[in-house]
Amino acid sequence: AVDDSAIGELVHRDELVAERFPKDRVVGSSLRIGTRIVGEVDLGIEYRHGEREIVSGAKGQLDRFEFAAKYSF
C-alpha cells in the first residue's frame, strides 16, 4: 500500500538480466514515484531506461513511462 508521502526508487543495473547474459553489456535504471492524492486514490508513475549491447556488437535501447491509478474501497 502507498502511504501519504511520495516514494522513490532508483535501480542502476538489472542484475537478473546480467546473470542470464554474462557476456552482454546490460545497463538499466528506473525511477518510481507514488502518492495518495485524496482519500482512497493512489497515483503512480515510473520511468524506465535500458541499454544492451550483445557480443556481436548489436545494440538496443528502451525508454518507457508507465502510469497507474488505484482506488481502494
Side-chain angles (χ1 to χ4, degrees):
V2 178
D3 64 13
D4 292 331
S5 61
I7 333 177
E9 179 181 339
L10 180 62
V11 180
H12 291 288
R13 182 170 167 78
D14 191 336
E15 295 298 332
L16 179 60
V17 173
E19 288 175 13
R20 292 185 64 201
F21 305 99
K23 295 184 180 181
D24 296 353
R25 185 183 73 79
V26 179
V27 178
S29 60
S30 66
L31 176 63
R32 227 177 284 153
I33 298 172
T35 190
R36 176 161 293 155
I37 58 169
V38 272
E40 291 80 25
V41 179
D42 298 333
L43 292 179
I45 184 171
E46 178 179 358
Y47 169 72
R48 180 172 296 267
H49 172 77
E51 296 177 7
R52 181 174 174 196
E53 181 178 353
I54 60 176
V55 176
S56 69
K59 296 179 183 180
Q61 181 177 329
L62 166 77
D63 290 294
R64 175 171 68 187
F65 278 101
E66 293 183 17
F67 300 92
K70 179 178 88 170
Y71 179 77
S72 301
F73 55 93

